[in-house]
Amino acid sequence: MTALPAPLAEIVDDFAGVGEQDRLELLLEFSRELPELPEHLTAAAMEPVPECQSPLFLDVDASDPEAVRLYFSAPPEAPTTRGFASILAQGLDGQPAAAIVAVPDDFHHALGLDAVVSPLRLRGMSAMLARIKRRLAA
């Protein structure tokens, strides 16, 4: 796999270091760690990601291409979606745009969640990453 930004590579390693069932628990842990939105940002002003099973909104601030800021909003009752958003937030927030664009579209397979999360939900994570990349390319 292409070199991932260090924080994202560390998350992938965390998932690789636990058994299949523990990966789901780790995903739920990430869902509880999704950063709150800053006061100046509301979900209404963010881009929706309709491919996700649950309502998810994201914002990409690339005003500094060397330190892109990512923001996500997902309801607490959508732990899988929140977990994926949190992984991307913790793994990519503050990284250079070029490093984010270089993340393989299917990196989520390296998390080893394919057996415990539905393909439809995994597609939601791919959609989040694709939208971030699209925003950075614009």
Side-chain angles (χ1 to χ4, degrees), residues 36-102:
E36 294 293 321
L37 291 177
E39 286 186 28
H40 73 277
L41 198 56
T42 64
M46 300 168 75
E47 180 177 354
V49 182
E51 296 90 343
C52 289
Q53 291 264 266
S54 303
L56 180 105
F57 300 87
L58 67 82
D59 186 68
V60 178
D61 177 356
S63 56
D64 178 356
E66 291 305 310
V68 173
R69 299 303 320 265
L70 302 175
Y71 304 101
F72 297 88
S73 175
E77 57 276 2
T80 303
T81 300
R82 281 181 67 84
F84 289 153
S86 182
I87 288 169
L88 292 174
Q90 292 182 48
L92 299 176
D93 185 51
Q95 296 298 306
I100 295 171
V101 170

Coordinates of all heavy atoms in Angstrom, one line a residue, residues 36-102:
E36 N -15.7 17.6 18.0 CA -16.9 18.5 17.9 C -16.6 19.5 16.8 O -15.4 19.8 16.6 CB -17.2 19.2 19.2 CG -17.6 18.3 20.3 CD -19.0 17.7 20.1 OE1 -19.9 18.5 19.6 OE2 -19.2 16.5 20.4
L37 N -17.6 20.0 16.2 CA -17.4 21.1 15.2 C -17.0 22.4 15.9 O -17.5 22.7 17.0 CB -18.7 21.3 14.4 CG -19.2 20.2 13.5 CD1 -20.5 20.6 12.8 CD2 -18.1 19.9 12.4
P38 N -16.2 23.2 15.2 CA -15.9 24.5 15.8 C -17.1 25.4 15.7 O -18.0 25.1 14.9 CB -14.8 25.0 14.9 CG -14.8 24.2 13.6 CD -15.5 22.9 14.0
E39 N -17.1 26.3 16.6 CA -18.3 27.2 16.7 C -18.8 27.8 15.4 O -20.0 28.1 15.1 CB -18.1 28.3 17.8 CG -18.2 27.7 19.2 CD -18.1 28.8 20.2 OE1 -18.5 29.9 19.9 OE2 -17.6 28.5 21.3
H40 N -17.8 28.2 14.5 CA -18.1 28.9 13.3 C -18.7 28.0 12.2 O -19.2 28.4 11.2 CB -16.9 29.6 12.7 CG -15.9 28.6 12.1 ND1 -15.0 27.9 12.8 CD2 -15.7 28.2 10.8 CE1 -14.3 27.1 12.0 NE2 -14.7 27.3 10.8
L41 N -18.8 26.7 12.5 CA -19.3 25.7 11.4 C -20.5 25.0 11.9 O -20.6 24.5 13.0 CB -18.1 24.7 11.2 CG -18.2 23.9 9.9 CD1 -18.2 24.8 8.7 CD2 -16.9 23.1 9.8
T42 N -21.5 24.9 11.0 CA -22.7 24.1 11.3 C -22.9 23.1 10.3 O -22.4 23.3 9.1 CB -24.0 25.0 11.4 OG1 -24.2 25.6 10.1 CG2 -23.9 26.1 12.4
A43 N -23.6 22.0 10.6 CA -23.8 20.9 9.6 C -24.5 21.5 8.4 O -24.2 21.0 7.3 CB -24.6 19.8 10.3
A44 N -25.4 22.5 8.6 CA -26.1 23.0 7.5 C -25.2 23.7 6.4 O -25.5 23.8 5.2 CB -27.2 24.0 8.0
A45 N -24.0 24.1 6.9 CA -23.1 24.8 6.0 C -22.1 23.8 5.3 O -21.2 24.2 4.6 CB -22.4 25.9 6.7
M46 N -22.2 22.5 5.7 CA -21.3 21.5 5.2 C -21.8 20.7 4.1 O -23.0 20.7 3.8 CB -20.9 20.6 6.4 CG -20.3 21.4 7.6 SD -20.2 20.4 9.1 CE -18.9 19.4 8.7
E47 N -20.9 20.0 3.4 CA -21.3 19.2 2.3 C -21.9 17.8 2.7 O -21.2 17.1 3.5 CB -20.1 18.9 1.4 CG -20.4 18.1 0.2 CD -19.2 17.9 -0.7 OE1 -18.1 18.5 -0.5 OE2 -19.3 17.1 -1.7
P48 N -23.1 17.5 2.3 CA -23.6 16.1 2.7 C -22.9 15.0 1.9 O -22.4 15.3 0.8 CB -25.1 16.2 2.3 CG -25.1 17.2 1.2 CD -24.0 18.2 1.5
V49 N -22.8 13.9 2.5 CA -22.3 12.7 1.8 C -23.4 11.7 1.8 O -23.6 10.8 2.7 CB -21.0 12.1 2.6 CG1 -20.5 10.9 1.8 CG2 -20.0 13.2 2.8
P50 N -24.2 11.8 0.7 CA -25.4 10.9 0.6 C -25.1 9.4 0.5 O -26.0 8.6 0.7 CB -26.2 11.5 -0.6 CG -25.2 12.2 -1.4 CD -24.1 12.7 -0.4
E51 N -23.9 9.1 0.1 CA -23.6 7.6 0.0 C -23.5 6.9 1.3 O -23.6 5.7 1.4 CB -22.2 7.5 -0.7 CG -22.2 8.0 -2.2 CD -21.8 9.4 -2.2 OE1 -21.8 10.2 -1.2 OE2 -21.4 9.9 -3.4
C52 N -23.4 7.7 2.4 CA -23.3 7.1 3.7 C -24.7 6.7 4.1 O -25.7 7.3 3.8 CB -22.8 8.1 4.7 SG -21.0 8.4 4.5
Q53 N -24.8 5.6 4.9 CA -26.1 5.1 5.4 C -26.8 6.0 6.3 O -28.0 6.0 6.4 CB -25.8 3.7 6.1 CG -25.4 2.6 5.2 CD -26.6 1.8 4.8 OE1 -26.8 0.8 5.4 NE2 -27.3 2.2 3.8
S54 N -26.0 6.8 7.1 CA -26.5 7.7 8.0 C -26.1 9.1 7.6 O -25.2 9.3 6.8 CB -25.9 7.5 9.4 OG -26.2 6.1 9.8
P55 N -26.9 10.2 8.1 CA -26.5 11.5 7.7 C -25.1 11.9 8.1 O -24.7 11.7 9.3 CB -27.5 12.4 8.5 CG -28.6 11.5 9.0 CD -28.0 10.1 9.0
L56 N -24.3 12.3 7.1 CA -22.9 12.7 7.4 C -22.7 13.9 6.6 O -23.0 14.0 5.4 CB -21.9 11.6 7.0 CG -20.5 12.1 7.3 CD1 -19.9 11.5 8.5 CD2 -19.6 12.0 6.1
F57 N -22.0 14.9 7.2 CA -21.6 16.1 6.5 C -20.1 16.4 6.8 O -19.6 16.0 7.8 CB -22.4 17.3 7.1 CG -23.9 17.1 7.0 CD1 -24.7 16.4 7.9 CD2 -24.6 17.6 5.8 CE1 -26.0 16.3 7.7 CE2 -25.9 17.5 5.7 CZ -26.7 16.8 6.6
L58 N -19.5 16.9 5.8 CA -18.1 17.2 5.9 C -17.7 18.6 5.4 O -18.4 19.1 4.6 CB -17.2 16.1 5.3 CG -17.2 15.9 3.8 CD1 -16.2 16.9 3.1 CD2 -16.7 14.5 3.5
D59 N -16.6 19.1 5.9 CA -16.1 20.4 5.4 C -14.6 20.2 5.3 O -13.9 19.6 6.1 CB -16.4 21.5 6.4 CG -16.0 22.8 5.8 OD1 -16.6 23.3 4.8 OD2 -15.0 23.5 6.3
V60 N -14.0 20.7 4.2 CA -12.6 20.7 3.9 C -12.1 22.1 3.8 O -12.5 22.9 3.0 CB -12.3 19.9 2.6 CG1 -10.8 19.9 2.3 CG2 -12.9 18.5 2.6
D61 N -11.2 22.5 4.7 CA -10.6 23.8 4.7 C -9.2 23.6 4.2 O -8.3 23.2 4.9 CB -10.6 24.4 6.1 CG -9.9 25.8 6.2 OD1 -9.4 26.2 5.1 OD2 -10.0 26.4 7.2
A62 N -9.0 24.0 2.9 CA -7.6 23.8 2.3 C -7.0 25.2 2.1 O -6.2 25.4 1.2 CB -7.8 23.1 1.0
S63 N -7.4 26.2 3.0 CA -6.8 27.5 2.8 C -5.3 27.4 3.0 O -4.5 28.3 2.5 CB -7.4 28.5 3.8 OG -7.3 28.0 5.1
D64 N -4.8 26.5 3.8 CA -3.4 26.2 3.9 C -3.1 24.8 3.4 O -3.4 23.8 4.1 CB -2.9 26.3 5.4 CG -1.4 25.9 5.5 OD1 -0.7 25.6 4.5 OD2 -0.9 26.0 6.7
P65 N -2.7 24.6 2.2 CA -2.5 23.3 1.6 C -1.5 22.4 2.3 O -1.5 21.2 2.0 CB -2.1 23.6 0.1 CG -1.8 25.0 0.0 CD -2.3 25.7 1.2
E66 N -0.7 23.0 3.1 CA 0.3 22.2 3.9 C -0.3 21.7 5.2 O 0.3 20.8 5.9 CB 1.5 23.0 4.2 CG 2.3 23.3 2.9 CD 2.7 22.0 2.1 OE1 3.2 21.1 2.8 OE2 2.4 22.0 0.9
A67 N -1.5 22.1 5.5 CA -2.2 21.7 6.8 C -3.7 21.8 6.6 O -4.4 22.7 7.1 CB -1.8 22.5 8.0
V68 N -4.3 20.8 5.8 CA -5.7 20.8 5.5 C -6.5 20.5 6.8 O -6.1 19.6 7.5 CB -6.0 19.8 4.4 CG1 -7.5 19.6 4.2 CG2 -5.3 20.2 3.1
R69 N -7.5 21.2 7.0 CA -8.4 20.9 8.1 C -9.7 20.2 7.7 O -10.3 20.6 6.6 CB -8.8 22.3 8.8 CG -7.7 23.1 9.4 CD -6.8 22.4 10.4 NE -7.5 21.5 11.3 CZ -7.8 21.8 12.6 NH1 -7.6 23.1 13.0 NH2 -8.5 21.0 13.3
L70 N -10.0 19.2 8.3 CA -11.2 18.4 8.0 C -12.2 18.4 9.2 O -11.8 18.2 10.3 CB -10.8 16.9 7.7 CG -9.8 16.7 6.6 CD1 -9.4 15.2 6.5 CD2 -10.4 17.2 5.3
Y71 N -13.5 18.6 8.8 CA -14.5 18.6 9.9 C -15.6 17.7 9.4 O -16.0 17.6 8.3 CB -15.1 20.0 10.0 CG -14.0 21.0 10.4 CD1 -13.4 21.9 9.4 CD2 -13.5 21.1 11.7 CE1 -12.4 22.8 9.7 CE2 -12.5 22.0 12.0 CZ -12.0 22.9 11.0 OH -11.0 23.8 11.3
F72 N -16.2 16.9 10.4 CA -17.2 16.0 10.1 C -18.4 16.2 11.1 O -18.1 16.5 12.3 CB -16.7 14.5 10.2 CG -15.7 14.2 9.3 CD1 -14.3 14.4 9.6 CD2 -16.0 13.6 8.0 CE1 -13.3 14.1 8.7 CE2 -15.0 13.3 7.1 CZ -13.6 13.5 7.4
S73 N -19.6 15.9 10.7 CA -20.7 15.9 11.5 C -21.5 14.7 11.2 O -21.9 14.4 10.1 CB -21.6 17.2 11.3 OG -22.8 17.1 12.1
A74 N -21.8 13.9 12.3 CA -22.6 12.6 12.2 C -23.3 12.4 13.5 O -22.7 12.7 14.5 CB -21.7 11.4 11.8
P75 N -24.5 12.0 13.5 CA -25.3 11.8 14.7 C -24.7 10.7 15.6 O -24.2 9.7 15.1 CB -26.7 11.5 14.2 CG -26.5 10.9 12.8 CD -25.3 11.6 12.3
P76 N -24.9 10.9 16.9 CA -24.4 9.8 17.8 C -25.0 8.5 17.6 O -24.4 7.4 17.9 CB -24.8 10.4 19.2 CG -25.0 11.8 19.0 CD -25.4 12.0 17.6
E77 N -26.2 8.4 17.1 CA -26.9 7.2 16.9 C -26.4 6.5 15.6 O -27.0 5.5 15.2 CB -28.4 7.3 16.9 CG -29.0 8.3 15.9 CD -29.0 9.7 16.4 OE1 -28.5 10.0 17.5 OE2 -29.5 10.6 15.6
A78 N -25.4 7.0 15.0 CA -24.8 6.4 13.8 C -23.3 6.1 14.1 O -22.4 6.7 13.5 CB -24.9 7.3 12.6
P79 N -23.0 5.1 15.0 CA -21.6 4.9 15.4 C -20.7 4.4 14.3 O -19.5 4.8 14.4 CB -21.8 3.9 16.6 CG -23.1 3.2 16.3 CD -24.0 4.2 15.7
T80 N -21.1 3.6 13.4 CA -20.2 3.2 12.3 C -19.8 4.4 11.5 O -18.6 4.6 11.2 CB -20.9 2.1 11.5 OG1 -21.3 1.0 12.3 CG2 -20.0 1.6 10.4
T81 N -20.8 5.2 11.1 CA -20.5 6.3 10.2 C -19.6 7.3 11.0 O -18.6 7.8 10.5 CB -21.8 7.0 9.8 OG1 -22.5 6.1 9.0 CG2 -21.5 8.3 9.0
R82 N -19.9 7.5 12.3 CA -19.1 8.4 13.1 C -17.7 7.9 13.3 O -16.7 8.6 13.3 CB -19.7 8.6 14.5 CG -20.8 9.6 14.6 CD -21.4 9.7 16.0 NE -20.4 10.3 16.9 CZ -20.3 11.6 17.1 NH1 -21.0 12.4 16.4 NH2 -19.4 12.1 17.9
G83 N -17.6 6.5 13.4 CA -16.3 5.9 13.6 C -15.4 6.1 12.3 O -14.2 6.5 12.4
F84 N -16.0 5.9 11.2 CA -15.2 6.2 9.9 C -14.8 7.6 9.8 O -13.7 7.9 9.4 CB -16.1 5.8 8.7 CG -16.3 4.3 8.5 CD1 -17.4 3.8 7.9 CD2 -15.4 3.4 9.0 CE1 -17.6 2.5 7.7 CE2 -15.6 2.0 8.8 CZ -16.7 1.6 8.2
A85 N -15.7 8.5 10.1 CA -15.4 10.0 10.1 C -14.3 10.3 11.0 O -13.4 11.0 10.7 CB -16.7 10.8 10.4
S86 N -14.3 9.7 12.2 CA -13.3 10.0 13.2 C -12.0 9.4 12.8 O -10.9 10.1 13.0 CB -13.7 9.3 14.5 OG -12.8 9.6 15.5
I87 N -11.9 8.3 12.1 CA -10.7 7.7 11.6 C -10.1 8.7 10.6 O -8.9 9.0 10.6 CB -10.9 6.3 11.0 CG1 -11.2 5.3 12.1 CG2 -9.7 5.9 10.1 CD1 -11.7 4.0 11.6
L88 N -10.9 9.2 9.7 CA -10.4 10.2 8.7 C -10.0 11.5 9.3 O -8.9 12.0 9.0 CB -11.5 10.4 7.6 CG -11.7 9.2 6.7 CD1 -12.9 9.5 5.8 CD2 -10.5 8.8 5.9
A89 N -10.8 11.9 10.3 CA -10.4 13.2 11.0 C -9.1 13.0 11.7 O -8.2 13.9 11.6 CB -11.5 13.6 12.0
Q90 N -8.9 12.0 12.5 CA -7.7 11.8 13.3 C -6.5 11.4 12.4 O -5.4 11.7 12.7 CB -7.9 10.7 14.3 CG -8.9 11.1 15.4 CD -9.1 10.1 16.5 OE1 -8.1 9.6 17.0 NE2 -10.3 9.8 16.8
G91 N -6.8 10.7 11.3 CA -5.7 10.3 10.4 C -5.3 11.3 9.4 O -4.1 11.2 8.9
L92 N -6.1 12.2 9.0 CA -5.8 13.1 7.9 C -5.9 14.6 8.3 O -5.3 15.4 7.5 CB -6.7 12.8 6.7 CG -6.6 11.4 6.1 CD1 -7.7 11.3 5.0 CD2 -5.2 11.1 5.6
D93 N -6.5 15.0 9.3 CA -6.6 16.4 9.7 C -5.3 17.0 9.9 O -4.5 16.4 10.7 CB -7.5 16.6 10.9 CG -7.8 18.1 11.2 OD1 -8.2 18.8 10.3 OD2 -7.5 18.5 12.4
G94 N -5.0 18.1 9.3 CA -3.7 18.8 9.5 C -2.6 18.3 8.6 O -1.5 18.8 8.6
Q95 N -2.9 17.3 7.7 CA -1.9 16.8 6.8 C -1.9 17.7 5.5 O -2.8 18.3 5.2 CB -2.3 15.3 6.4 CG -2.2 14.4 7.6 CD -0.8 14.3 8.2 OE1 0.2 14.1 7.4 NE2 -0.7 14.5 9.5
P96 N -0.8 17.6 4.8 CA -0.7 18.3 3.5 C -1.7 17.7 2.5 O -2.0 16.5 2.5 CB 0.7 18.1 3.0 CG 1.5 17.6 4.2 CD 0.5 16.9 5.1
A97 N -2.2 18.6 1.6 CA -3.2 18.2 0.6 C -2.6 17.1 -0.2 O -3.3 16.1 -0.5 CB -3.6 19.4 -0.2
A98 N -1.4 17.2 -0.6 CA -0.8 16.2 -1.5 C -0.8 14.8 -0.8 O -1.0 13.8 -1.5 CB 0.7 16.6 -1.9
A99 N -0.5 14.8 0.5 CA -0.5 13.5 1.2 C -1.9 12.9 1.3 O -2.1 11.7 1.2 CB 0.0 13.7 2.6
I100 N -2.9 13.7 1.4 CA -4.3 13.2 1.5 C -4.8 12.7 0.2 O -5.3 11.6 0.1 CB -5.3 14.4 2.0 CG1 -4.9 14.8 3.4 CG2 -6.7 13.9 1.9 CD1 -5.6 16.0 3.9
V101 N -4.4 13.4 -0.9 CA -4.8 13.0 -2.3 C -4.1 11.7 -2.6 O -4.7 10.8 -3.3 CB -4.5 14.1 -3.3 CG1 -4.6 13.6 -4.7 CG2 -5.4 15.3 -3.0
A102 N -3.0 11.4 -2.0 CA -2.2 10.2 -2.3 C -2.7 9.0 -1.6 O -2.3 7.8 -1.9 CB -0.7 10.4 -2.0

